[in-house]
């Protein structure tokens, strides 16, 4: 199996070509011009993660929502599940930047934390 | 009349960084005037991550990046007036502003820093035929509706323009349950960062249609759909390629315009390419004592660069206030050619205080291309870059001694494209 992707580690955007074995293990990476490209390809093929940002409803605040993020990047495939949990949550003002609004969201090990105050 | 050493117009990342730097350089009385209800500017609605990698060495969201500067401003004696609209800059550096508490304000300032930011190019600038149906708005307007006001402006979305705000909103709307049908880009390449194309479009299976534009909107009360078409190399729609796409919302991410109404009224000379003031290396405009920085001067890709530029302006204003203006009227003029669209600053004092960073943008995507800075045929700087793109601001550093040694008071930044 092979996968083609564009590296996002820097603005050059190398076209990466990845060969995988039947177990999904990376056999080789080509097209990269630096070490970061190889790491990016392996991460994307084995455990792609993303930082998730969104908003949570607020009761009694100046604004109706507070922006939030995951404390660490979460598996890419869990983004929509985490969005559901975020959209089911309502927080009470006042909220401080850094407050944990959902602990260990969807068992990802990441907390949902406020990124502004309301 | 109120009296200040420095008045900063705009309390976003540029204004805050400039004011803080001026304070650090010893300026006593500083006032920031902000149109919105809070400091922070557009960062307050940019809830995605990716800010601060250069300046703080860590990845922050927009509100977090802004918060660090808001806290610092609050810890100083810098005065802040929010909900305040500046109407005019009169001769003698008098700022006229208004708000609900003070009424009309006249503020006399030794120096002024312009940090008003930019706004999005609106629908009216595009000449798309169609009625004024609701559901057509800029990507930034939708971003405010979703991220600050907490509601979704539509369910079925087409995005025109693949600038970073458009890409970010494609992901944001999808995560909140909307169906983003496609992103259309007039140019044969995207102006957005590759990371955003990967993480905002590819991750979610949203198609990016290059060399494609919206040629008509449909619907009278509410948008019902758009007609898209491919364009040729002259960006003209190709007959026969029209396609109807059903949607209730059209988001526009088609460029940013520096907000220079005050600047123009003040008679400050504007660069027709950047649409911002012409400045020297201290970011001083053509009017003594008036400085400009951030997106009002030139549209940046990264807030980190806005912060860096604004600190230069803050330092320049502090030197001016301390009556140490740096040798005006004896300038080396800087320009771009051969693929370099513009260079900021446009002027450098012929005896600068230090090395000077020249920021510029290129007109097209170039690979394995040499950046050359020369004066009168003599090369001062030359470096080969694997890739240059219009969406990535570039800079080169020119040594102060090299500038002092120039015989002809003129510098050119150009590209040398490899012959095939």
């Amino acid at each position: 199996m092979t996968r083609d992707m564009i590296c996002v580690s820097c603005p050059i955007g190398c076209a990466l070509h990845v060969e995988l074995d039947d177990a999904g293990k990376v056999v080789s990476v080509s097209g990269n011009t630096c070490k970061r490209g190889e790491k990016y390809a392996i991460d994307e093929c084995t455990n792609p993660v993303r930082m998730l940002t969104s908003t949570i409803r607020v009761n009694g605040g100046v604004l109706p929502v507070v922006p939030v993020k995951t404390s660490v990047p979460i598996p890419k495939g869990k983004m929509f599940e985490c969005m559901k949990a975020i959209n089911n949550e309502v927080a009470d003002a006042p909220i401080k930047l850094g407050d944990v609004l959902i602990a260990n969201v969807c068992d990802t090990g990441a907390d949902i934390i406020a990124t502004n105050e309301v | 009349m109120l009296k200040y050493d420095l008045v900063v117009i705009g309390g976003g990342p540029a204004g805050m960084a400039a004011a803080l730097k001026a304070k650090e350089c010893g300026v006593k009385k500083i006032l920031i005037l902000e149109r919105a209800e809070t400091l922070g500017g557009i960062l307050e609605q940019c809830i995605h991550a990716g800010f601060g990698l250069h300046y703080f060495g860590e990845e922050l969201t927009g509100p977090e990046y802004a918060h660090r500067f808001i806290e610092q401003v609050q810890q100083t004696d810098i005065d802040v007036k929010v909900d305040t609209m500046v109407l005019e800059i009169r001769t003698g550096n008098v700022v006229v502003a208004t708000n609900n508490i003070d009424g009309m304000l006249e503020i006399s300032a030794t120096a002024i820093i312009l940090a008003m930011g930019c706004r999005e190019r609106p629908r009216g600038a595009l000449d798309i035929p169609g009625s004024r149906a609701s559901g057509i708005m800029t990507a930034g307007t939708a971003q405010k509706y979703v991220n600050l006001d907490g509601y979704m402006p539509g369910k079925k979305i087409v995005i025109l323009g693949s600038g970073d705000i458009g890409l970010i909103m494609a992901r944001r709307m999808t995560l909140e349950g909307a169906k983003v049908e496609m992103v259309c880009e007039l140019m044969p390449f995207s102006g957005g960062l590759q990371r955003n194309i990967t993480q905002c479009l590819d991750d979610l299976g949203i198609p990016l249609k290059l060399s494609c534009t919206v040629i008509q909107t449909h619907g009278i009360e509410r948008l019902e759909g758009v007609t898209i078409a491919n364009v040729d190399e002259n960006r003209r729609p190709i007959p026969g390629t029209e396609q109807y796409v059903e949607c209730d919302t059209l988001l526009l991410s088609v460029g940013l315009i520096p907000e220079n109404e005050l600047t123009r009224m003040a008679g400050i000379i504007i660069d027709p390419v950047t649409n911002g003031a012409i400045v020297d290396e201290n970011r001083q405009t053509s009017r003594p004592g008036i400085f400009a920085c951030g997106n009002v001067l030139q549209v940046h890709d990264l807030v980190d660069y806005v912060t860096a530029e604004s600190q230069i302006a803050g330092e320049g204003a502090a030197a001016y206030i301390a009556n140490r203006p740096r040798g005006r009227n004896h300038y080396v003029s800087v320009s771009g050619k051969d693929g370099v669209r513009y260079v900021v600053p446009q002027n450098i004092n012929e005896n600068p205080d230090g090395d000077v960073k020249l920021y510029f943008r290129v007109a097209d995507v170039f690979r394995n291309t040499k950046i050359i800075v020369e004066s009168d045929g003599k090369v001062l700087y030359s470096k080969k870059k694997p890739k240059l793109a219009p969406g990535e601001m570039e800079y080169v550093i020119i040594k102060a001694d090299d500038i002092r040694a120039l015989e002809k008071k003129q510098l050119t930044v150009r590209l040398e494209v490899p012959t095939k």
Side-chain angles (χ1 to χ4, degrees):
Chain A
M1 202 172 55
T2 63
R3 265 188 74 181
D4 292 297
M5 61 183 77
I6 299 172
C7 181
V8 304
S9 303
C10 86
I12 295 173
C14 294
L16 306 178
H17 182 75
V18 190
E19 289 199 27
L20 302 143
D21 65 17
D22 293 338
K25 204 167 164 272
V26 176
V27 178
S28 72
V29 179
S30 57
N32 56 310
T33 49
C34 79
K35 279 266 175 211
R36 286 192 297 167
E38 189 181 323
K39 184 179 185 308
Y40 175 76
I42 294 169
D43 288 349
E44 278 296 289
C45 289
T46 53
N47 181 31
V49 292
R50 299 286 185 265
M51 185 80 105
L52 179 65
T53 61
S54 187
T55 52
I56 281 181
R57 294 250 155 233
V58 174
N59 269 332
V62 186
L63 290 171
V65 289
V66 63
V68 296
K69 69 174 184 185
T70 51
S71 55
V72 290
I74 57 164
K76 191 170 100 171
K78 285 220 166 186
M79 285 206 298
F80 282 93
E81 199 187 329
C82 291
M83 277 303 293
K84 245 187 207 152
I86 288 168
N87 283 340
N88 285 332
E89 189 69 25
V90 180
D92 292 319
I95 297 160
K96 287 256 163 281
L97 193 148
D99 281 0
V100 175
L101 300 183
I102 305 174
N104 188 21
V105 63
C106 301
D107 278 328
T108 54
D111 297 333
I112 298 294
I113 58 175
T115 56
N116 209 348
E117 44 195 45
V118 173
Chain B
M1 190 178 322
L2 294 172
K3 266 192 175 358
Y4 278 89
D5 296 319
L6 174 63
V7 170
V8 179
I9 305 175
M16 289 194 289
L20 284 165
K21 191 68 184 181
K23 178 57 46 184
E24 189 189 312
C25 293
V27 178
K28 290 203 173 69
K29 285 199 74 186
I30 303 178
L31 172 66
I32 299 176
L33 299 173
E34 167 55 44
R35 178 169 66 181
E37 285 165 13
T38 56
L39 290 174
I42 206 66
L43 288 174
E44 295 293 306
Q45 69 179 56
C46 300
I47 66 164
H48 55 279
F51 303 90
L53 283 166
H54 293 262
Y55 189 70
F56 289 113
E58 59 182 304
E59 190 171 12
L60 302 171
T61 64
E64 290 173 308
Y65 190 96
H67 192 80
R68 294 198 176 185
F69 287 88
I70 294 171
E71 272 192 326
Q72 283 184 55
V73 169
Q74 286 166 347
Q75 283 160 12
T76 66
D77 59 355
I78 295 171
D79 289 335
V80 177
K81 284 184 187 294
V82 293
D83 232 341
T84 301
M85 185 77 186
V86 174
L87 303 173
E88 191 186 353
I89 300 165
R90 293 206 184 124
T91 49
N93 293 354
V94 172
V95 176
V96 183
T98 180
N99 66 32
N100 280 340
I101 297 161
D102 303 295
M104 289 288 280
L105 283 163
E106 280 189 320
I107 310 151
S108 161
T110 309
I112 297 168
I113 294 179
L114 307 173
M116 294 89 78
C118 62
R119 60 168 170 256
E120 294 172 283
R121 179 166 285 136
R123 181 201 179 175
L126 297 180
D127 294 329
I128 305 171
S131 75
R132 294 168 61 98
S134 68
I136 306 172
M137 68 197 81
T138 64
T141 302
Q143 191 179 44
K144 178 177 181 293
Y145 288 156
V146 181
N147 294 346
L148 293 181
D149 301 334
Y151 65 86
M152 287 286 283
K155 295 192 176 93
K156 230 169 148 57
I157 324 281
V158 169
I159 299 177
L160 175 59
S162 63
D164 287 311
I165 311 171
L167 300 176
I168 292 288
M169 282 314 291
R171 174 176 61 186
R172 184 77 186 110
M173 301 292 278
T174 307
L175 286 173
E176 290 291 356
K179 172 92 176 77
V180 177
E181 297 290 337
M182 60 181 69
V183 175
C184 299
E185 170 59 56
L186 181 70
M187 304 299 284
F189 53 83
S190 167
L193 301 171
Q194 179 60 45
R195 188 173 85 149
N196 285 336
I197 292 170
T198 301
Q199 299 189 354
C200 299
L201 301 186
D202 299 350
D203 271 8
L204 302 165
I206 301 167
L208 171 62
K209 292 185 178 289
L210 297 173
S211 297
C212 177
T213 193
V214 172
I215 59 166
Q216 186 158 10
T217 67
H218 305 274
I220 307 284
E221 293 292 319
R222 177 76 198 191
L223 186 69
E224 291 166 7
V226 295
T227 301
I228 62 166
N230 296 336
V231 297
D232 61 21
E233 60 273 21
N234 298 316
R235 298 182 221 163
R236 298 256 167 217
I238 302 169
T241 64
E242 299 89 353
Q243 190 190 332
Y244 180 80
V245 184
E246 195 188 305
C247 61
D248 59 24
T249 306
L250 174 65
L251 301 187
L252 304 172
S253 176
V254 290
L256 299 166
I257 308 165
E259 265 196 270
N260 271 305
E261 283 71 21
L262 287 173
T263 320
R264 286 199 174 84
M265 272 164 62
I268 289 165
I269 300 169
I270 302 280
D271 181 323
V273 182
T274 59
N275 284 313
I278 286 179
V279 292
D280 66 16
E281 79 275 19
N282 303 308
R283 302 303 183 267
Q284 182 162 228
T285 68
S286 61
R287 249 182 80 171
I290 302 186
F291 297 75
C293 57
N295 282 348
V296 80
L297 178 61
Q298 56 175 333
V299 175
H300 293 70
D301 322 310
L302 301 176
V303 70
D304 306 69
Y305 286 0
V306 167
T307 299
E309 179 171 84
S310 305
Q311 290 175 335
I312 295 172
E315 213 176 329
Y320 179 88
I321 292 162
N323 207 13
R324 287 184 280 109
R326 298 164 171 184
R328 282 182 58 80
N329 301 326
H330 297 286
Y331 280 145
V332 172
S333 73
V334 189
S335 59
K337 68 171 188 182
D338 298 345
V340 175
R341 280 187 60 226
Y342 72 78
V343 187
V344 170
Q346 294 87 347
N347 292 311
I348 307 173
N349 283 292
E350 59 180 28
N351 185 16
D353 281 9
D355 298 347
V356 177
K357 257 188 192 179
L358 300 177
Y359 291 87
F360 63 94
R361 271 184 204 280
V362 297
D364 204 344
V365 177
F366 296 99
R367 288 190 186 269
N368 299 317
T369 294
K370 223 188 243 175
I371 300 168
I372 293 171
V373 182
E374 61 185 16
S375 180
D376 206 13
K378 190 176 157 246
V379 175
L380 274 77
Y381 175 100
S382 159
K383 194 180 182 186
K384 201 168 173 184
K385 294 279 274 190
K387 187 183 174 190
L388 295 164
E392 309 266 352
M393 185 185 282
E394 298 285 337
Y395 68 81
V396 295
I397 298 170
I398 305 298
K399 291 212 163 21
D401 283 340
D402 286 346
I403 295 165
R404 288 181 198 119
L406 288 178
E407 278 180 26
K408 201 169 168 201
K409 303 300 174 193
Q410 193 252 334
L411 269 183
T412 308
V413 184
R414 66 178 182 87
L415 302 183
E416 197 173 272
V417 184
T419 46
K420 277 171 193 159

